[in-house]
Amino acid sequence: MNLDVVYHKHDVIVVGAGIAGLYAALKTSGQVDTAVLSKVYPTRSHSGAAQGGCAASLGNVMEDHWEWHMYDTVRGSDFLGDQDAQELLVRDAVPVMYEMEHLGVPFDRTDDGRIAQRPFGGHFGNFGKTPMKRSCYAADRTGHAQLHCLYQQCVKNEVRFYNEFYALSLIMHDGVCQGLVAWDMREGGLHVFHARAVHLATGGYARCWKITSNAMANTGDGLALVMRQGLPLEDMEFVQFHPTGVWQHGMLVSEAARGEGGYLINDKGERFMENYAKAKMELAPRDVVSRAEQTEINEGRGIDGKDCVYIDLRHLGKEKILTRLPQVRELALKFVGRDMITDPIPIQPTAHYSMGGIPVNLDTAVLSGTGKETVPGLFASGECACVSVHGANRLGTNSTLECAVYGRRGGLKMLDYLRQKPSHDELRDDADALAREEVGKLLGTAGKQGVRPVELREEMQATMQQNVAVFRNEEGLKKQVDIAQDLRRRYKDVVLDDGGTYSNSDLIEAIELGNMLDYSYVIARCALERTECRGAHWRIDHEGRDDKNWHKHTMAWLEGDDIRLDYKPVVITRFQPEERKY
Amino acid sequence: MQRTFKVFRFNPKTDQEPHFDTFTIEVGDSWTVLDGLNAIKWHHDGTLCYRRSCRHGICGSCAMTINGKNDLACEKQLAAIKGTIVVEPLKSFPVVRDLVVGQEDFFDKLRLVKPWLIRREPPPTDKERLQSPQDRRVIDGTWECILCGACTSSCPAYWDNDSFLGPAALLQAFRYVGDTRDEGLDERAGILDSKIGVWRCHTIFNCVEACPKSLNPTDSIVKLRRRLLEQKL
């Protein structure tokens, strides 16, 4: 198959145009030639779906300190987060939040004109003891507000965008990243991007589950790019199930609904959180709440015996709902036909956030192994990266924060890196070989007999939902590892309907499926190995957290059909692991 | 339950003219038009092209014309449509393929109004700029825009040689002009007051009807006119 190739040369290429990618590009543009590749138009990025807010210890509404925010983050992560990374996150949160306001983000305001802050699950004062208002918000569309603002700032700064370009492979030579190869999703054809630095900000990967809050674009593409170069992924078994996904659909009912005072109710009308987190109730961290809900459901106390519970906001009153939770109300109206002003809303745990991902150091440089060695020229930030700030479980409002803080820092650190690397490396000869082979093979299957992608995708999503969800056990995980291997084998026989190069979304969906099959296999395997309960990874066949054997990060390499595992220590600076109770 | 879809098809590389393909498929209880398109693509015709991402009305990818009205495919319930579900690409945007339209002009027009905060005075170094809750409320109904294109595509003034900035760009212009932190009315007056600016709106109100987020671009346009006049006097 004759695929055209076009060559481009830039200094920095950012892949992904969500909050992390755009902030990185904003910092490098104007200094060096910056290009952003995105498989969707930037404002379509899933950052825009973030609802609840962005945490920072501004102390605008009540006394707050970054040490308290750090403690909450450390404990929220079930002590698996690297505390140097967590400290950086919460300290930088304050100036970064002000900078975002300066850039134009339309935060809600207090009566005295400052950025308004509200309560959120997992965030407290006095080292976990008292209520706290730390989430900076714009109604329940905070991510949307931040995303659009950053995008417009990039347009203002004349950042070059390659919209609807799909990154197919990194170009590596002697362990150094030279750029990447992408596919023009509209016209077709391969594009070689020669760069001095590549920054991956491709977002999350919860699309491999059936019930998920994630956009269809969240297929972990950055992870696949990295895995295929023989580089490791970190902490893949830790995937957060958000407690309040719209029943049967999965999209998010913001944690802000609980922050503003919503109750979780079972079939008996009980506020069941009393039995699981008596002190913090609905404001306990997400993994705790999801487990509580799943237990209620498993023990038959779901609404009408179904696999859902209720979130009840009626007592908040019309005014509060319309001003603080308008989008969430709209969602419930449109997707389950209920008005939260007058009715409770059925919800269930939904695959939401990926704590794990591409291992990076504090400067967002991608790590090549369990040590400090980095991959020259390769960086990553946001949900696709694992610094690790979230450890085994993420607190709400810390993700858009991570994207802002580390995306921004990534931009600044790339500038530092580029000062040491004044010119491009000579591009390797066969830069587009991998990509050409992958695309050529898939396009060549059109019209032939074989496996339809939807068969594999639906089986993956249903079995992941069954075996690698809120509660896990050895039997289910072993089964899933076998299923994953089988699905990957069958993927070799996948056939497309569309064999053309022009505007071929059949091709893109098939490539995304390949990525999902690869990393979901890694997730299942890592989950099988970790024989303890920590954060979002809950092995019901093991009793509690096992710090003696398991206080470490998982590193996984996908090598052909095998997965090689290794482990590395957690960085502890201020807070020793303790019992995690809410 | 079975439903019938008539879907606009056009691949400029292979087709002389557009045509409609009809699919009758099994649908679920609370399915949306997007669920229908996915089922068609995955089980019947993988060549069908459309944009989609979030599935819950925040990303703006899937705006299309459904039974004659602009809407987001992911929010339009099949139960709310009687009879055959007719799906077409947004009017007056060039068709790339099937339901995917070119958005270059849409985003170019947006850029012309400088949709970013314009402020001459440097910000405070160690805190936020202050803004009262009342001042902040002024831009409610504009910052929520998801740039889906439904409004601009529905506007007859925009159809006319697309020599009009269009409702979305003007709504975005007011999002900034109306933001009490912004000082950019002067800088934007040229384009807003121009031949393709606020005076081109004929208050037809198609945009208000089309907006899937219930926003009101006409209201923004009227407010911009007022600001421009106030500035002159």
Side-chain angles (χ1 to χ4, degrees):
Chain A
M1 160 145 298
N2 185 24
L3 296 169
D4 288 335
V5 188
V6 177
Y7 287 82
H8 309 266
K9 200 169 181 180
H10 294 283
D11 292 320
V12 167
I13 311 272
V14 177
V15 183
I19 289 173
L22 291 176
Y23 222 147
L26 195 59
K27 288 299 167 186
T28 61
S29 68
Q31 313 264 358
V32 295
D33 178 354
T34 302
V36 178
L37 262 69
S38 176
K39 69 177 181 181
V40 296
Y41 268 77
T43 56
R44 316 297 180 213
S45 302
H46 202 47
S47 296
Q51 298 172 357
C54 202
S57 53
L58 305 182
N60 282 355
V61 179
M62 53 201 292
E63 184 192 348
D64 198 2
H65 301 278
W66 66 259
E67 292 93 334
W68 295 354
H69 187 181
M70 181 175 172
Y71 176 73
D72 291 338
T73 303
V74 170
R75 190 164 67 129
S77 74
D78 217 347
F79 300 90
L80 197 71
D82 293 311
Q83 292 181 20
D84 52 351
Q86 293 173 315
E87 181 166 333
L88 198 156
L89 179 80
V90 304
R91 292 182 86 143
D92 274 11
V94 174
V96 169
M97 211 57 47
Y98 293 142
E99 185 174 275
M100 294 208 82
E101 190 280 324
H102 298 161
L103 290 172
V105 174
F107 288 110
D108 275 26
R109 299 288 178 153
T110 61
D111 285 337
D112 58 348
R114 313 195 69 184
I115 295 171
Q117 296 183 279
R118 64 177 161 203
F120 224 81
H123 289 274
F124 307 107
N126 285 289
F127 299 102
K129 295 195 191 61
T130 52
M132 172 52 65
K133 294 182 180 182
R134 186 177 290 143
S135 168
C136 308
Y137 63 96
D140 57 354
R141 296 183 170 106
T142 317
H144 164 89
Q146 293 171 307
L147 175 67
H148 280 246
C149 177
L150 285 170
Y151 173 62
Q152 302 299 5
Q153 285 291 327
C154 282
V155 170
K156 175 188 175 197
N157 284 12
E158 300 183 354
V159 168
R160 172 89 181 245
F161 281 97
Y162 291 88
N163 294 326
E164 296 183 321
F165 272 69
Y166 187 89
L168 288 169
S169 68
L170 294 173
I171 305 168
M172 304 283 292
H173 191 54
D174 290 336
V176 177
C177 183
Q178 304 186 314
L180 57 91
V181 185
W183 178 259
D184 179 345
M185 291 164 70
R186 181 184 299 198
E187 300 297 329
L190 295 168
H191 289 251
V192 170
F193 287 89
H194 192 190
R196 288 193 279 148
V198 171
H199 190 104
L200 301 174
T202 57
Y205 47 88
R207 222 38 225 183
C208 59
W209 278 269
K210 183 169 172 215
I211 303 291
T212 172
S213 66
N214 279 205
M216 294 174 73
N218 292 22
T219 52
D221 303 336
L223 275 67
L225 291 176
V226 153
M227 267 199 291
R228 300 221 177 108
Q229 297 295 338
L231 293 166
L233 296 178
E234 183 177 351
D235 288 348
M236 291 297 287
E237 61 270 40
F238 297 104
V239 176
Q240 184 179 78
F241 281 75
H242 191 292
T244 53
V246 173
W247 184 48
Q248 295 189 320
H249 292 272
M251 68 278 294
L252 196 62
V253 168
S254 174
E255 189 163 14
R258 282 172 288 137
E260 297 289 355
Y263 299 149
L264 293 175
I265 311 284
N266 63 15
D267 199 43
K268 295 179 174 180
E270 295 164 339
R271 264 180 89 186
F272 56 85
M273 283 311 295
E274 194 162 5
N275 301 324
Y276 301 92
K278 199 180 170 106
K280 308 303 184 192
M281 298 292 284
E282 284 85 355
L283 292 183
R286 291 171 180 180
D287 57 328
V288 171
V289 181
S290 284
R291 276 193 289 278
E293 287 180 14
Q294 196 62 51
T295 305
E296 293 293 301
I297 290 166
N298 292 351
E299 292 179 2
R301 290 185 293 278
I303 309 302
D304 299 333
K306 299 200 190 103
D307 57 349
C308 62
V309 296
Y310 275 149
I311 184 165
D312 192 350
L313 293 146
R314 291 173 289 182
H315 56 283
L316 263 60
K318 187 173 175 178
E319 175 74 38
K320 204 172 199 186
I321 292 176
L322 290 178
T323 44
R324 302 281 183 89
L325 301 169
Q327 193 204 167
V328 161
R329 173 171 175 259
E330 218 189 285
L331 276 168
L333 273 169
K334 285 186 167 148
F335 291 96
V336 289
R338 295 209 186 189
D339 188 344
M340 41 185 42
I341 294 174
T342 51
D343 297 312
I345 309 298
I347 43 103
Q348 69 179 124
T350 180
H352 181 61
Y353 183 82
S354 320
M355 274 70 77
I358 303 167
V360 297
N361 65 15
L362 297 195
D363 295 342
T364 76
V366 172
L367 298 167
S368 56
T370 54
K372 291 201 187 319
E373 240 183 66
T374 58
V375 179
L378 190 58
F379 301 82
S381 67
E383 192 173 349
C384 74
C386 185
V387 197
S388 158
V389 289
H390 309 302
N393 172 68
R394 174 175 77 71
L395 294 185
T397 67
N398 268 0
S399 175
T400 45
L401 178 64
E402 177 192 17
C403 295
V405 167
Y406 280 96
R408 178 183 182 279
R409 186 176 172 86
L412 295 173
K413 292 301 171 184
M414 277 194 292
L415 290 176
D416 287 345
Y417 170 77
L418 291 177
R419 280 184 207 108
Q420 314 298 326
K421 195 191 174 71
S423 59
H424 286 68
D425 284 349
E426 195 177 314
L427 198 60
R428 62 182 291 166
D429 277 328
D430 55 346
D432 61 339
L434 272 174
R436 177 180 292 277
E437 199 196 312
E438 183 181 17
V439 172
K441 176 175 183 289
L442 280 169
L443 290 178
T445 64
K448 300 210 168 99
Q449 290 283 18
V451 179
R452 287 196 81 87
V454 64
E455 276 174 48
L456 302 180
R457 189 172 53 243
E458 287 184 350
E459 191 178 325
M460 168 191 66
Q461 289 168 333
T463 53
M464 287 292 280
Q465 193 71 35
Q466 182 86 316
N467 299 316
V468 197
V470 176
F471 291 121
R472 301 150 177 201
N473 62 35
E474 184 178 346
E475 192 195 329
L477 292 170
K478 274 203 166 124
K479 215 191 291 177
Q480 192 64 35
V481 168
D482 289 339
I483 290 168
Q485 287 171 326
D486 178 57
L487 288 170
R488 287 178 82 239
R489 264 192 297 274
R490 284 155 63 197
Y491 179 76
K492 300 191 170 92
D493 297 325
V494 114
V495 295
L496 304 183
D497 284 345
D498 193 343
T501 53
Y502 180 72
S503 204
N504 186 342
S505 55
D506 207 17
L507 169 70
I508 301 300
E509 286 194 7
I511 296 172
E512 288 170 337
L513 171 61
N515 295 350
M516 288 195 279
L517 292 177
D518 282 352
Y519 70 70
S520 61
Y521 173 35
V522 175
I523 292 171
R525 178 69 200 285
C526 294
L528 175 62
E529 289 304 315
R530 184 174 285 267
T531 50
E532 65 156 355
C533 296
R534 184 184 297 267
H537 172 70
W538 213 256
R539 291 286 297 264
I540 54 174
D541 50 350
H542 287 273
E543 194 64 44
R545 201 175 80 203
D546 181 1
D547 284 337
K548 182 156 165 283
N549 294 305
W550 282 105
H551 194 212
K552 55 194 182 185
H553 294 290
T554 308
M555 298 284 272
W557 286 256
L558 181 61
E559 295 173 340
D561 292 327
D562 293 316
I563 293 172
R564 177 166 63 90
L565 295 174
D566 201 350
Y567 296 89
K568 64 172 184 176
V570 178
V571 176
I572 302 179
T573 55
R574 289 176 179 259
F575 302 105
Q576 288 299 323
E578 57 187 44
E579 196 194 351
R580 184 176 176 246
K581 213 159 69 176
Y582 292 92
Chain B
M1 166 198 2
Q2 300 251 304
R3 294 295 301 265
T4 301
F5 290 75
K6 255 181 74 177
V7 186
F8 179 97
R9 306 299 303 274
F10 181 59
N11 180 345
K13 301 290 176 186
T14 57
D15 302 339
Q16 292 280 30
E17 280 186 16
H19 63 279
F20 281 84
D21 280 345
T22 303
F23 302 93
T24 300
I25 60 166
E26 191 64 31
V27 306
D29 268 341
S30 55
W31 273 30
T32 59
V33 171
L34 178 60
D35 292 322
L37 294 175
N38 284 340
I40 290 167
K41 184 179 179 71
W42 296 339
H43 298 282
H44 299 271
D45 184 352
T47 66
L48 178 61
C49 246
Y50 52 96
R51 288 196 179 102
R52 81 294 181 268
S53 198
C54 75
R55 316 154 296 153
H56 66 266
I58 191 69
C59 75
S61 298
C62 64
M64 21 189 112
T65 304
I66 300 164
N67 290 64
K69 284 191 80 236
N70 287 356
D71 222 322
L72 296 176
C74 70
E75 288 191 329
K76 188 73 190 173
Q77 296 276 332
L78 294 182
I81 305 171
K82 285 187 170 55
T84 302
I85 298 133
V86 182
V87 191
E88 299 169 276
L90 286 180
K91 263 190 275 297
S92 91
F93 286 12
V95 176
V96 169
R97 186 173 175 185
D98 298 343
L99 303 168
V100 176
V101 295
Q103 300 179 296
E104 284 72 21
D105 185 68
F106 180 79
F107 282 102
D108 284 347
K109 296 266 162 59
L110 180 60
R111 191 170 37 238
L112 288 177
V113 307
K114 303 196 181 183
W116 48 76
L117 198 70
I118 292 174
R119 182 85 187 194
R120 283 179 271 283
E121 199 191 302
T125 47
D126 58 346
K127 58 182 172 96
E128 67 272 59
R129 284 194 193 92
L130 298 182
Q131 182 182 47
S132 73
Q134 295 79 2
D135 281 350
R136 164 61 183 77
R137 296 269 83 85
V138 172
I139 58 165
D140 273 352
T142 62
W143 67 275
E144 302 92 325
C145 169
I146 60 175
L147 299 175
C148 69
C151 60
T152 298
S153 148
S154 75
C155 175
Y158 181 82
W159 299 344
D160 176 28
N161 302 315
D162 37 58
S163 55
F164 173 36
L165 286 174
L170 290 171
L171 181 94
Q172 288 289 327
F174 188 73
R175 178 259 172 276
Y176 284 98
V177 168
D179 191 327
T180 55
R181 301 170 296 173
D182 187 270
E183 293 172 325
L185 180 55
D186 290 344
E187 239 183 271
R188 297 185 185 98
I191 187 73
L192 294 176
D193 213 359
S194 74
K195 274 197 321 197
I196 62 169
V198 297
W199 308 106
R200 195 81 193 196
C201 165
H202 300 295
T203 48
I204 296 166
F205 287 107
N206 277 13
C207 56
V208 177
E209 236 189 89
C211 179
K213 301 288 114 184
S214 307
L215 304 181
N216 189 334
T218 310
D219 183 57
S220 286
I221 292 169
V222 167
K223 285 179 169 146
L224 286 171
R225 288 176 178 175
R226 201 171 292 144
R227 295 291 181 105
L228 289 170
L229 290 173
E230 279 168 3
Q231 193 206 27
K232 283 185 181 170
L233 297 169

